[in-house]
Amino acid sequence: MMDFKFNDAVEKWDIYEICLNGPDSGNPFLEYNLQGHFKGKCESIVVDGFYDGNGRYKIRFMPSFEGKYAFEVKGNFIETVLKGEFYVAPPSKENHGPVRVANECHFAYDDGTPYYSIGTTCYVWNLQSDERIAETIETLKNSAFNKIRFCVFPKHYVYNLGEPRSYPYVGSPMDSSVLTKENFNDYNFRREGNNFDYERFNPEHFSHIEKCIAILRDLNIEADLILLHPYDRWGFSMMTEKQDDLYIKYCVARFASYRNIWWSLANEYDLIPHKSISDWERIAGIICEKDPYNHLRSIHNCRPFYDHSRPWITHCSIQRQDLYKHVEYTDEWRSKWRKPIVLDEISYEGDIQHGWGNINGQELVRRFWESAVRGGYPGHGETFFHPEDVLWWSHGGKLHGESHKRFGFLLKIMKETPGFGLRQLSLNWDDVCGTADDVNAFIKPIKDYYLFYFSFMCPTFREYHFDDDTKFQVNVIDTWNMTVEDKGVHQGKFNIDLGGRQYMAVQMKKVKE
Amino acid sequence: MMDFKFNDAVEKWDIYEICLNGPDSGNPFLEYNLQGHFKGKCESIVVDGFYDGNGRYKIRFMPSFEGKYAFEVKGNFIETVLKGEFYVAPPSKENHGPVRVANECHFAYDDGTPYYSIGTTCYVWNLQSDERIAETIETLKNSAFNKIRFCVFPKHYVYNLGEPRSYPYVGSPMDSSVLTKENFNDYNFRREGNNFDYERFNPEHFSHIEKCIAILRDLNIEADLILLHPYDRWGFSMMTEKQDDLYIKYCVARFASYRNIWWSLANEYDLIPHKSISDWERIAGIICEKDPYNHLRSIHNCRPFYDHSRPWITHCSIQRQDLYKHVEYTDEWRSKWRKPIVLDEISYEGDIQHGWGNINGQELVRRFWESAVRGGYPGHGETFFHPEDVLWWSHGGKLHGESHKRFGFLLKIMKETPGFGLRQLSLNWDDVCGTADDVNAFIKPIKDYYLFYFSFMCPTFREYHFDDDTKFQVNVIDTWNMTVEDKGVHQGKFNIDLGGRQYMAVQMKKVKE
């Protein structure tokens, strides 16, 4: 009988893990497989196990229901089917389950709690030193971020010439001492000098990422995990179909049981010359087949958008295509694809040389509000010049900007929205207005809730006249200074003073008689 | 013999005027006509005269060449052809002649001096009290504006409920004491209560406007004269074809000899329900026929653009169609219509309730630079809330904003452009760059002149590498603080420090060996 461990209880949407010993000869990643079959009253799910090195194999399962579960484990190295039972307890208070698409605009946790995404990007925060990672976690703890984009693979790019803490494959990398700020681009998509076995994973790399995902989970932060990306000097973006498929399956087997996982097939899919649309579709197919929990799936562009109408895509992960106008297209894009719009790159707050990373805090906060009030989900990043090249956008660490201090306030306002979120409403040509995205809101001529945003405009006041009878409780919001001023109850035709300054919003809640 | 006066000399591009007495019975505007035929060595021009009231008739002519001219005056009330001669002297130093289209991007005065338009809008500054007009002129004198948009007809609109100093027609207006901020819109396009004879002009109204045009001319400011507009409680926008034609001919006969006249057929042509495209085309035809000097002609939109490819349109007078992106379309629009792009409404600096009039100084200056660096010609206006409703955009008076202080600096930089102006050049995706708009500039891979603008972006530095040999003298321009920092001569690959703040530009001039 094999060494076979399991616990007898787990919380709903947590991980039930089975560990067992097995062969470590040959290439276990290729030669050995195992599956777990988990049955509860309301679900029956098969998941792949994976090899975790040193002769250890694991199977992970995320139960979506409470109560008793039974399981069976089979595998090509297991002589007798292994069986067991466990009990799934109610979720703890902060555990709302995975995030799902609630409707064509919005997200909600599996328990029905609305989820208003406030994202950030730290591409390889997870591959930095322990000290840096601890610093990043401390920063995240004190932030409003509830989603973070990051990579499984290391990143080779401007300000990213250092070595990662570990590699996903067994082997050795090229000598990076030859890299300079001037020549680094010449090494992109060049495999020479690397000596990796692209069919033999380094389990430590993956188990470290799991620790990071778990920490994020415990901070209620969604892990928007980027599986492939183009900034590569190690050959990880140039693997064969077989190697890619092996990798994708390994990621799903290891990570899918974390409730806070989102699958981002790529950062800037269109910049990887070694992948075609049919590759992305094949990879998407594997994820759909292998992830029994249907975690959110997206693919992020540099220039052309992917065809977000593809059924496997749950939400649009968008990098803006235009220097000037982008988040303002939220409604247009949603009308086209009928999926939630996540604006994962709308230029980062910073002062580096590149236009994708040098807007100021006011401008990024403006972009956040512009998208939020339209029911879109904006993303942050920070790219301040740093003498040691520690830029939040890639490395994590500390935040140096001004925008991040304002997102908690925005999130608080977003959480006051009735229902799952806002949807853009056309009123005057110079109003940006969101209203509660529920069916009733669109039937009724007068809505229950309005959130107007005035962006860079500086109105001294605005005039309103919905009808003669309906009463509204009105708040004036200074989105930059984070103040809410109660303007009392208004009815009929009325003016609201706004102080003639930028970044103001008006929130109106219908007074229930 | 009639009373018949003329001078014996005039400056090139000034007005040669002939006055004569004639009948004042019946309706002289309809019943009597006269024409002047002016012949010099290089031109032979026929112009209509006009009735100026009190039995006085006038003919005005603007000579475009120096030397001796002869003239003949005929009319249906003149028994014998009147003849005379005069001499045209060289223009004085500040007199460069009318502004013409120099090429598909740019303007120049008739003497070849480039004209970089820095416009403002004061719709009815000319119809205010003498004191206000004097104040406006003083403001203009101390400004960089070299074009101003204003109307012949008075304006009825928000913040514009007062009476004009005079009316263009004989008669009496409706009682405006009934108007309030709430009801004024109900009186738009309503003729009731007015008692005007739309076929009998009030010459004092027109001669006063001429005085204003002449003052502008002497300040080197182009008079972008709006002939028709929709903000009307007096019926001036609802006249018959016959009345419109009479009006247009009267305007041309009176104003065309002022070298600084531009014809703007309408402000917001599409908001006048009583005019169709065929009306505008007919009116344009009259102007083309009657104005022998071919002054610039345009028509300004509220929403849909007019078809600027119409041959009578010399340049595009554009009101932005989008709250967010507008001047950034300069190059796209010019590629479409192949005419200079004048951006006559891109939101005004101010703090009123409307989105067309409440951006701040930084944002308007940004829009000026965005369009200028693309070779477009931006327009200013000011709409600060004022206790007595004196808003620059309509009434003139004083300027209260911050943007106008920065246009002289912009104009100085524009005047450093080799040739007639800039044209957009595509370099990096996040560069907005203009280069000298001359044929050679587009043939040569390395241009003689570059003007990069970084808008809301905050780069700490930018990298350049044109080739290894060419030397550039580089200036860093802070467009808001109006500083120019000489960064010396650079060659090969080089970085230019930009301080990580907004609204910076880089100017590069090729060093001639």
Side-chain angles (χ1 to χ4, degrees):
Chain A
M1 176 65 192
M2 313 174 85
D3 176 12
F4 171 41
K5 287 191 211 157
F6 61 92
N7 299 317
D8 58 358
V10 69
E11 179 176 322
K12 181 177 168 180
W13 298 311
D14 260 0
I15 298 169
Y16 186 80
E17 183 175 276
I18 298 164
C19 297
L20 59 164
N21 287 336
D24 64 353
S25 58
N27 184 342
F29 300 104
L30 288 176
E31 294 167 33
Y32 303 110
N33 64 64
L34 74 169
Q35 300 84 39
H37 188 173
F38 296 85
K39 273 191 204 170
K41 198 179 159 191
C42 302
E43 62 181 346
S44 169
I45 281 181
V46 177
V47 296
D48 284 346
F50 61 91
Y51 183 59
D52 197 31
N54 300 317
R56 301 287 290 164
Y57 291 77
K58 286 180 176 172
I59 294 176
R60 290 175 180 159
F61 169 64
M62 179 187 79
S64 297
F65 298 91
E66 294 167 33
K68 218 172 95 176
Y69 274 77
F71 66 83
E72 292 182 357
V73 174
K74 297 176 186 171
N76 65 356
F77 62 92
I78 299 170
E79 285 160 30
T80 322
V81 173
L82 306 175
K83 294 186 183 185
E85 285 183 355
F86 59 96
Y87 186 80
V88 177
S92 54
K93 200 181 158 213
E94 292 293 303
N95 173 1
H96 300 288
V99 171
R100 308 292 188 192
V101 167
N103 60 30
E104 69 181 46
C105 290
H106 299 295
F107 300 100
Y109 292 100
D110 214 359
D111 73 352
T113 307
Y115 168 77
Y116 304 101
S117 178
I118 301 277
T120 190
T121 290
C122 299
Y123 284 117
V124 285
W125 73 279
N126 49 319
L127 305 184
Q128 309 301 313
S129 67
D130 285 348
E131 296 70 29
R132 183 80 63 221
I133 289 174
E135 196 180 43
T136 306
I137 290 164
E138 192 56 28
T139 303
L140 288 171
K141 213 178 263 181
N142 295 307
S143 80
F145 298 120
N146 55 22
K147 178 171 92 71
I148 184 169
R149 297 170 70 226
F150 63 100
C151 303
V152 177
F153 290 152
K155 186 176 176 88
H156 168 75
Y157 195 55
V158 60
Y159 301 118
N160 282 266
L161 304 184
E163 297 292 341
R165 64 182 291 142
S166 61
Y167 293 92
Y169 293 95
V170 171
S172 61
M174 64 167 276
D175 172 14
S176 60
S177 69
V178 301
L179 298 173
T180 68
K181 289 196 176 195
E182 282 68 40
N183 74 6
F184 77 91
N185 255 329
D186 304 338
Y187 291 85
N188 218 30
F189 306 125
R190 222 170 81 173
R191 206 150 33 189
E192 291 94 78
N194 288 288
N195 186 25
F196 288 109
D197 181 345
Y198 299 102
E199 295 176 358
R200 196 180 283 269
F201 299 105
N202 170 17
E204 274 177 31
H205 184 83
F206 290 86
S207 69
H208 168 73
I209 292 176
E210 284 156 13
K211 274 181 215 149
C212 294
I213 295 170
I215 290 166
L216 295 173
R217 176 193 63 202
D218 297 340
L219 293 173
N220 286 308
I221 298 172
E222 301 299 302
D224 198 356
L225 195 69
I226 296 165
L227 297 171
L228 292 158
H229 71 80
Y231 303 109
D232 172 38
R233 67 172 182 257
W234 305 277
F236 304 145
S237 67
M238 303 164 66
M239 299 191 296
T240 63
E241 275 191 32
K242 182 189 167 198
Q243 290 162 351
D244 279 338
D245 294 358
L246 193 71
Y247 164 67
I248 297 297
K249 285 176 192 165
Y250 195 68
C251 284
V252 174
R254 293 198 73 118
F255 303 138
S257 56
Y258 290 83
R259 64 174 173 269
N260 59 326
I261 275 288
W262 299 22
W263 305 116
S264 176
L265 267 63
N267 181 52
E268 300 182 342
Y269 81 93
D270 51 309
L271 295 194
I272 310 182
H274 311 86
K275 297 275 176 289
S276 64
I277 295 296
S278 69
D279 289 320
W280 297 116
E281 290 292 316
R282 193 188 74 253
I283 289 167
I286 294 169
I287 296 173
C288 289
E289 182 199 332
K290 293 294 185 183
D291 169 12
Y293 317 111
N294 261 307
H295 286 290
L296 295 174
R297 291 174 298 261
S298 69
I299 184 163
H300 169 271
N301 63 294
C302 179
R303 279 158 202 147
F305 294 132
Y306 203 88
D307 174 7
H308 292 303
S309 64
R310 296 290 302 140
W312 61 266
I313 294 180
T314 55
H315 63 283
C316 310
S317 169
I318 283 181
Q319 175 164 191
R320 54 96 186 250
Q321 294 179 324
D322 185 313
L323 202 53
Y324 295 94
K325 190 172 168 183
H326 25 73
V327 296
E328 298 81 7
Y329 289 120
T330 298
D331 198 52
E332 195 174 318
W333 289 330
R334 195 171 43 222
S335 302
K336 182 174 174 187
W337 294 307
R338 303 205 165 272
K339 293 176 184 179
I341 303 297
V342 180
L343 299 142
D344 280 315
E345 267 199 74
I346 50 179
S347 192
Y348 305 126
E349 184 181 357
D351 61 5
I352 58 167
Q353 68 269 47
H354 304 291
W356 52 259
N358 60 21
I359 60 171
N360 69 12
Q362 279 94 336
E363 180 59 16
L364 186 54
V365 172
R366 186 187 74 76
R367 294 178 188 197
F368 262 67
W369 276 83
E370 291 280 4
S371 47
V373 84
R374 290 169 164 88
Y377 293 105
H380 159 273
E382 252 191 33
T383 43
F384 284 98
F385 187 75
H386 187 278
E388 287 153 36
D389 287 355
V390 182
L391 287 74
W392 172 264
W393 135 86
S394 214
H395 312 88
K398 290 200 169 88
L399 288 166
H400 305 278
E402 288 297 319
S403 65
H404 71 96
K405 302 171 188 170
R406 274 91 181 165
F407 300 145
F409 180 75
L410 168 59
L411 188 57
K412 182 184 93 63
I413 302 291
M414 294 308 295
K415 285 184 175 174
E416 295 177 13
T417 311
F420 289 120
L422 292 168
R423 198 188 279 233
Q424 192 175 345
L425 189 68
S426 287
L427 290 162
N428 292 314
W429 67 275
D430 55 350
D431 275 327
V432 178
C433 182
T435 190
D437 176 37
D438 68 77
V439 176
N440 289 332
F442 285 87
I443 290 171
K444 289 184 287 187
I446 310 295
K447 318 296 179 198
D448 289 348
Y449 187 84
Y450 295 93
L451 187 62
F452 295 88
Y453 178 57
F454 295 104
S455 192
F456 48 72
M457 292 175 279
C458 308
T460 299
F461 68 93
R462 291 287 288 189
E463 294 169 317
Y464 299 93
H465 188 197
F466 298 95
D467 63 11
D468 291 338
D469 306 318
T470 313
K471 289 177 183 164
F472 287 97
Q473 196 277 313
V474 180
N475 290 330
V476 166
I477 299 170
D478 181 327
T479 66
W480 181 254
N481 294 307
M482 297 184 284
T483 60
V484 179
E485 195 187 344
D486 184 339
K487 292 283 189 179
V489 172
H490 293 262
Q491 182 176 7
K493 193 167 181 175
F494 57 92
N495 284 356
I496 298 296
D497 289 339
L498 287 161
R501 58 188 193 275
Q502 293 188 316
Y503 312 131
M504 302 300 286
V506 172
Q507 182 188 42
M508 295 197 190
K509 300 172 185 174
K510 192 168 150 182
V511 176
K512 305 243 159 66
E513 303 282 344
Chain B
M1 177 66 192
M2 312 175 84
D3 176 12
F4 171 42
K5 286 190 213 160
F6 61 91
N7 299 316
D8 58 358
V10 70
E11 178 177 324
K12 180 177 169 179
W13 298 310
D14 259 1
I15 299 170
Y16 185 81
E17 184 175 278
I18 299 165
C19 296
L20 60 164
N21 286 336
D24 64 350
S25 57
N27 184 343
F29 299 104
L30 289 176
E31 293 166 32
Y32 303 110
N33 63 64
L34 73 170
Q35 300 85 38
H37 188 174
F38 296 83
K39 272 192 205 171
K41 198 180 159 192
C42 303
E43 63 182 345
S44 168
I45 281 182
V46 176
V47 296
D48 284 345
F50 60 91
Y51 183 59
D52 197 31
N54 301 316
R56 301 287 290 166
Y57 291 78
K58 287 181 176 169
I59 294 176
R60 289 175 181 159
F61 170 63
M62 180 188 79
S64 296
F65 298 90
E66 294 167 33
K68 218 171 92 176
Y69 274 77
F71 67 83
E72 294 181 356
V73 174
K74 295 176 188 171
N76 65 356
F77 61 93
I78 299 171
E79 285 158 31
T80 322
V81 172
L82 307 174
K83 295 186 181 184
E85 286 183 354
F86 60 95
Y87 187 79
V88 178
S92 54
K93 199 182 157 213
E94 292 293 304
N95 173 1
H96 301 288
V99 171
R100 309 290 187 194
V101 167
N103 61 29
E104 68 181 48
C105 290
H106 299 295
F107 300 101
Y109 292 100
D110 213 0
D111 74 352
T113 307
Y115 169 77
Y116 304 101
S117 178
I118 300 278
T120 189
T121 290
C122 299
Y123 284 116
V124 285
W125 73 279
N126 50 319
L127 305 184
Q128 310 301 314
S129 68
D130 285 348
E131 295 70 28
R132 183 78 65 222
I133 288 175
E135 196 179 44
T136 306
I137 290 165
E138 193 55 31
T139 304
L140 289 171
K141 214 176 267 183
N142 297 306
S143 79
F145 298 120
N146 55 20
K147 179 172 91 71
I148 183 168
R149 296 170 71 226
F150 63 100
C151 303
V152 177
F153 290 153
K155 186 176 175 87
H156 169 75
Y157 194 55
V158 60
Y159 301 117
N160 283 267
L161 304 184
E163 296 293 340
R165 62 182 292 141
S166 61
Y167 293 93
Y169 293 95
V170 171
S172 61
M174 65 167 277
D175 172 14
S176 61
S177 70
V178 303
L179 299 172
T180 66
K181 290 196 175 194
E182 281 69 41
N183 74 7
F184 78 91
N185 256 329
D186 304 339
Y187 290 86
N188 218 28
F189 305 124
R190 221 170 83 173
R191 207 151 30 187
E192 289 95 78
N194 288 289
N195 187 24
F196 288 110
D197 181 346
Y198 299 102
E199 295 176 358
R200 196 179 283 268
F201 299 105
N202 171 16
E204 274 175 31
H205 184 83
F206 290 85
S207 69
H208 167 73
I209 291 176
E210 284 155 14
K211 274 181 215 148
C212 295
I213 295 170
I215 290 166
L216 295 173
R217 177 194 61 201
D218 297 340
L219 294 172
N220 285 308
I221 298 174
E222 302 298 303
D224 198 354
L225 194 68
I226 296 165
L227 297 171
L228 292 158
H229 72 80
Y231 302 109
D232 173 38
R233 66 173 183 258
W234 304 278
F236 304 144
S237 68
M238 303 163 69
M239 300 192 296
T240 63
E241 276 190 31
K242 182 189 165 197
Q243 291 162 351
D244 278 340
D245 293 359
L246 194 69
Y247 164 67
I248 297 296
K249 286 175 191 166
Y250 196 67
C251 285
V252 174
R254 293 200 71 120
F255 303 138
S257 55
Y258 290 83
R259 65 173 173 269
N260 59 324
I261 275 288
W262 298 23
W263 305 117
S264 176
L265 267 63
N267 180 53
E268 299 182 344
Y269 81 93
D270 50 309
L271 295 194
I272 311 182
H274 310 87
K275 296 275 176 290
S276 64
I277 296 296
S278 69
D279 289 319
W280 297 116
E281 290 292 317
R282 195 189 72 251
I283 290 167
I286 294 170
I287 297 173
C288 289
E289 182 198 334
K290 293 293 183 183
D291 169 11
Y293 318 110
N294 263 305
H295 286 291
L296 295 173
R297 291 174 298 261
S298 69
I299 185 164
H300 169 271
N301 63 294
C302 179
R303 279 160 201 143
F305 294 132
Y306 203 89
D307 174 7
H308 292 304
S309 65
R310 296 290 301 139
W312 60 266
I313 295 179
T314 54
H315 63 284
C316 310
S317 168
I318 282 180
Q319 176 164 191
R320 54 98 186 249
Q321 295 178 326
D322 185 314
L323 204 52
Y324 295 94
K325 190 174 167 182
H326 24 75
V327 296
E328 297 82 7
Y329 289 121
T330 299
D331 198 52
E332 195 172 319
W333 289 330
R334 195 172 41 222
S335 301
K336 182 172 175 188
W337 293 306
R338 304 205 165 271
K339 294 177 185 178
I341 302 297
V342 180
L343 299 143
D344 280 315
E345 268 198 72
I346 51 178
S347 191
Y348 305 125
E349 183 180 357
D351 61 5
I352 59 167
Q353 68 270 44
H354 304 291
W356 51 260
N358 60 21
I359 59 172
N360 68 12
Q362 279 93 338
E363 179 60 15
L364 186 53
V365 173
R366 186 188 73 76
R367 294 178 188 196
F368 262 66
W369 276 83
E370 290 279 5
S371 45
V373 83
R374 290 168 165 90
Y377 293 105
H380 159 272
E382 251 192 32
T383 44
F384 283 99
F385 187 75
H386 187 278
E388 287 151 37
D389 286 356
V390 182
L391 287 74
W392 172 265
W393 135 85
S394 214
H395 311 87
K398 290 198 170 87
L399 288 166
H400 305 279
E402 289 297 320
S403 63
H404 71 95
K405 302 170 189 171
R406 274 90 181 166
F407 300 146
F409 179 75
L410 169 60
L411 186 58
K412 182 184 93 63
I413 302 291
M414 293 310 293
K415 285 183 176 174
E416 295 177 14
T417 311
F420 289 120
L422 292 168
R423 199 188 278 233
Q424 191 175 345
L425 188 69
S426 289
L427 290 162
N428 291 315
W429 66 276
D430 56 350
D431 275 327
V432 178
C433 183
T435 191
D437 176 37
D438 68 77
V439 176
N440 289 332
F442 285 87
I443 290 170
K444 290 184 287 187
I446 309 296
K447 318 296 178 198
D448 289 347
Y449 187 83
Y450 295 93
L451 187 61
F452 296 88
Y453 178 58
F454 295 105
S455 193
F456 48 72
M457 292 175 279
C458 308
T460 299
F461 68 93
R462 291 286 288 188
E463 293 170 318
Y464 299 93
H465 188 197
F466 298 93
D467 64 12
D468 290 339
D469 306 317
T470 314
K471 289 177 184 165
F472 287 98
Q473 195 277 313
V474 179
N475 290 331
V476 165
I477 298 169
D478 181 327
T479 68
W480 182 254
N481 294 308
M482 297 184 284
T483 59
V484 178
E485 195 186 344
D486 184 339
K487 292 284 190 180
V489 172
H490 292 262
Q491 182 177 8
K493 193 167 181 176
F494 57 91
N495 284 356
I496 299 295
D497 288 339
L498 287 160
R501 57 188 195 275
Q502 291 188 318
Y503 311 132
M504 302 301 285
V506 172
Q507 183 188 41
M508 296 197 190
K509 300 171 187 175
K510 192 167 150 184
V511 176
K512 305 240 157 70
E513 304 283 346

